[in-house]
Amino acid sequence: METTTLVDRLARLSSELTAAERENLKFLLSMAAGGLLSGHARPDSESLHRAALTTAQRALPRLHGELRPAFDTGVVFRGRAPFFSTADLAVLDRESLAYRARAARFHDHYVASGAPVARELALSQSISDFLTARVGPVLPTYKANYLYYDQPGLGIDPHVDKDEFSLNVLTMLEHRPARRHSRLILHPPEQDAVHVQLEPGESLIFFADSVTHERTRTVEGETIRLVSFGYRTIGSIGSTP
Ligand SMILES: [Fe+2]
């Protein structure tokens, strides 16, 4: 199979689709990539598996037209983000703890949304400036979620997010105990997987709508709390003006 040609054709097809059709195609490709990575989809041969996975992974960033031209791993930044003060992190941590009781189960983890401090911080000018300097202008999507993986066996299978989290600013608030098991893994096309173990206070900013990613399962006694802010790249095909 000529992978490059098929990826180019999918990219061309994408440019002719409506926003809803493109979202559907993205969903199909992300399901394919996730299924192939997790072993739910099992083609007859190793070469077919590799070609199908590479096609899905390479096509996903191309669905966003020229907005992911330098797409490599999908990671924009990793580390202690300058836009969060120590006080910001402390208040997010407190709010995350307070919102645990109202978190709802979403597949294999718990999510709480609508928390006021998280929502307000997600709209801050300093985050917008930081992101704009790296990826061009962005719009907040008003999505700010607290995530909880605090029971054994929680995690999330390989997937690609919807455009509410095109660009995900994901910040670790707590990960106990010191001997940590669950980790975030990114699967960029035709490269080794990127294993990410964030320290509390560290952020990972990545194109969650383009790179397949997962969180491996927690073990007994493990607790993880994160906060996730969603942004959209302005000019994204299909984005609202
Ligand atoms: Fe995700």
Side-chain angles (χ1 to χ4, degrees), residues 63-69 125 127-129 131-142 163-167 207 209 230-241:
L63 300 189
H64 302 276
E66 299 305 310
L67 290 161
R68 312 274 186 276
Q125 189 63 43
I127 298 187
S128 176
D129 290 346
L131 298 177
T132 299
R134 283 156 184 82
V135 302
V138 298
L139 280 175
T141 61
Y142 301 93
D163 62 5
E164 295 156 343
F165 286 94
S166 281
L167 195 59
F207 282 110
D209 67 355
Y231 299 86
R232 195 173 289 165
T233 317
I234 293 178
S236 297
I237 301 167
S239 70
T240 47

Side-chain angles (χ1 to χ4, degrees), residues 156 159-161 165 168 206 208 213:
I156 185 162
H159 68 283
V160 173
D161 286 278
F165 286 94
N168 188 353
F206 68 109
H213 55 282

Side-chain angles (χ1 to χ4, degrees), residues 91-102:
V91 76
L92 285 167
D93 186 49
R94 278 201 299 278
E95 191 176 60
S96 156
L97 286 169
Y99 267 71
R100 176 63 183 92
R102 52 180 103 181

Side-chain angles (χ1 to χ4, degrees), residues 117-128 140-142 229 231:
V117 172
R119 288 185 67 150
E120 193 182 323
L121 274 174
L123 301 178
S124 79
Q125 189 63 43
S126 58
I127 298 187
S128 176
T141 61
Y142 301 93
F229 296 167
Y231 299 86

Side-chain angles (χ1 to χ4, degrees), residues 47-213:
S47 64
L48 181 57
H49 182 279
R50 201 167 44 246
L53 179 59
T54 300
T55 300
Q57 289 178 319
R58 293 194 74 85
L60 280 161
R62 298 283 301 276
L63 300 189
H64 302 276
E66 299 305 310
L67 290 161
R68 312 274 186 276
F71 190 86
D72 181 17
T73 61
V75 173
V76 173
F77 173 85
R78 177 186 173 175
R80 183 73 167 77
F83 46 76
F84 285 135
S85 67
T86 305
D88 291 336
L89 291 168
V91 76
L92 285 167
D93 186 49
R94 278 201 299 278
E95 191 176 60
S96 156
L97 286 169
Y99 267 71
R100 176 63 183 92
R102 52 180 103 181
R105 185 151 182 153
F106 177 76
H107 297 299
D108 290 339
H109 62 291
Y110 288 83
V111 180
S113 54
V117 172
R119 288 185 67 150
E120 193 182 323
L121 274 174
L123 301 178
S124 79
Q125 189 63 43
S126 58
I127 298 187
S128 176
D129 290 346
F130 185 88
L131 298 177
T132 299
R134 283 156 184 82
V135 302
V138 298
L139 280 175
T141 61
Y142 301 93
K143 292 284 178 182
N145 291 342
Y146 287 113
L147 312 175
Y148 307 87
Y149 303 82
D150 52 5
Q151 297 167 10
L154 295 183
I156 185 162
D157 287 339
H159 68 283
V160 173
D161 286 278
K162 296 202 177 76
D163 62 5
E164 295 156 343
F165 286 94
S166 281
L167 195 59
N168 188 353
V169 177
L170 182 68
T171 303
M172 180 64 76
L173 299 173
E174 181 185 32
H175 193 168
R176 286 187 290 117
R179 187 178 164 81
R180 294 167 297 186
H181 187 268
S182 170
R183 64 187 55 208
L184 180 65
I185 303 179
L186 273 54
H187 299 277
E190 297 176 289
Q191 295 174 60
D192 291 338
V194 180
H195 291 239
V196 181
Q197 197 63 277
L198 293 175
E199 296 295 329
E202 281 190 332
S203 301
L204 180 75
I205 303 176
F206 68 109
F207 282 110
D209 67 355
S210 300
V211 63
T212 323
H213 55 282

